[in-house]
Amino acid sequence: MTFTDLNQLRTFVTLYELRSVTGAARRLHVTQPTVSHSLKRLRERFGDELFRREGNDMVPTAKATQLFGPLHNALAQIDATVMGSDVFEPTGFSGELVLGLTSIGEQTFLPPIMTALGRVGADPRIQVERLDSDEVESALIRGTIDLALTVSRIATPRLWRTHVRSVEYVALSSGSHPLPATGPDMFEGRRFVRVSARGGHVYPVQALTEHDLMSQVVLTMEEYGTVPAVLEATDLVVLLPRHVAGVFCGWFPRLRIAELPWPAQSTPVELYTRREASLSQAQRWFRSLVLDAVAADEYKSQS
């Protein structure tokens, strides 16, 4: 295989990930005509159109989807071999790293991440981007963020994914207005806060709907940040992940956690990055640090 062949295959993988000739040219540091020429040669080689233009997107054909996994993995192995002798030294690293988090993720995951960075003596410029769940894949592939933590399951071969922690929901309320013992009637006469599911936390709305409690929602909010202060000042109740409720109780010790009377598991928190071939050494190091900082014990042995 010639160097030209490798460049063409790298163009294919990049175009598959970005779905854009312009984006592929930018990432590969070549001109758009160069990408178009490579695509023409690839089409001739594989006897397939590979990508069809639909609006502004280059949509892969079934043949392109079949080729992507093996070609991506082969290029990743080549890159790992070439770069294997280089050792990344985080001490003194001061580049920028962009972390995609929901508002609830900022509150629960950012403190341990910043603590972990301090322990290793790294001083990168961390920028946190607030993302809706349906923007995560696009933001990672286009390189506007380096890493994302979300409960939204993104099933795609274009991203690397691993579990961080399971998510079990509980009820949270003020100690001045505690909930009764866990049971089918524990929410009778109680009023609820509902928080937007833009970050991927859809379980609360599903549970409230399934158990005929939506009519008891009196406050709808966009973010979780002010929820604990609202709970402490009122008799309202919110459904949220146990690990988040624990953080809120640390801030407002008079809040009280109550178990739910029905199954309360949802999709787990997962960590996403681009695939190995598209990551810099700094990004690989950052992914490892974040995973170690935020993963629950149940998943650390699997990482």
Side-chain angles (χ1 to χ4, degrees), residues 56-76:
N56 294 325
D57 293 332
M58 298 293 288
V59 179
T61 64
K63 177 68 172 179
T65 299
Q66 179 185 17
L67 290 169
F68 174 74
L71 292 180
H72 180 279
N73 293 338
L75 287 171

Side-chain angles (χ1 to χ4, degrees), residues 157-226:
R158 301 199 294 168
L159 297 180
W160 181 95
R161 178 186 79 216
T162 192
H163 291 322
V164 170
R165 61 175 61 240
S166 59
V167 177
E168 180 185 20
Y169 280 80
V170 295
L172 191 65
S173 64
S174 168
S176 300
H177 302 278
L179 287 161
T182 300
D185 300 322
M186 65 183 292
F187 297 121
E188 185 174 345
R190 297 305 296 260
R191 303 182 304 158
F192 285 88
V193 179
R194 185 184 75 176
V195 183
S196 168
R198 288 188 301 111
H201 288 271
V202 299
Y203 175 85
V205 172
Q206 292 173 342
L208 291 171
T209 301
E210 181 179 348
H211 298 285
D212 298 321
L213 296 170
M214 282 296 290
S215 62
Q216 294 168 227
V217 173
V218 298
L219 175 62
T220 300
M221 303 174 65
E222 284 296 309
E223 306 285 356
Y224 279 91
T226 55

